[in-house]
Amino acid sequence: MDTIPAENGKPFDYPAVRDAAQAQGFYVSKEQWDLLKAGKEQALSEELLRALAGVFGVSPEYLLEEDGPLSERVEAELILLRSMRRAGVRNFRACQSGQIDAATLREIARILDELG
């Protein structure tokens, strides 16, 4: 959710997730979404996890398996996001535009970690 904007370019909110999941034939309730966002433990069906993987553009195995694979780009974006948070960076729009390759994202993260 932190690294992938919705189709409108804004962070994912419930209506965006609901609509994207419905386009795949699955309904995500507001309660399910709120619990997911809050990190509250709940029983999640494989069908829901597959729908959410489609919404966020990750492989279903990433959500279904404890050590499921993550695309190089998403992994680099998560590394950069952690580095940005540690460095107090609040906004980095180029990262969300998809115009920076994974290697460059990792290098930016390395530089931020060195500065912090």
Side-chain angles (χ1 to χ4, degrees), residues 53-95:
V55 169
F56 292 105
V58 297
S59 75
E61 290 74 26
Y62 173 64
L63 297 178
L64 293 168
E65 300 171 9
E66 188 172 327
D67 60 347
L70 189 59
S71 76
E72 182 180 355
R73 169 121 187 122
V74 173
E75 184 176 357
E77 288 176 347
L78 291 172
I79 290 168
L80 177 60
L81 182 63
R82 284 191 294 272
S83 296
M84 287 171 35
R85 285 183 176 157
R86 282 192 298 267
V89 176
R90 298 195 185 273
N91 191 2
F92 186 65
R93 197 69 185 146
C95 162

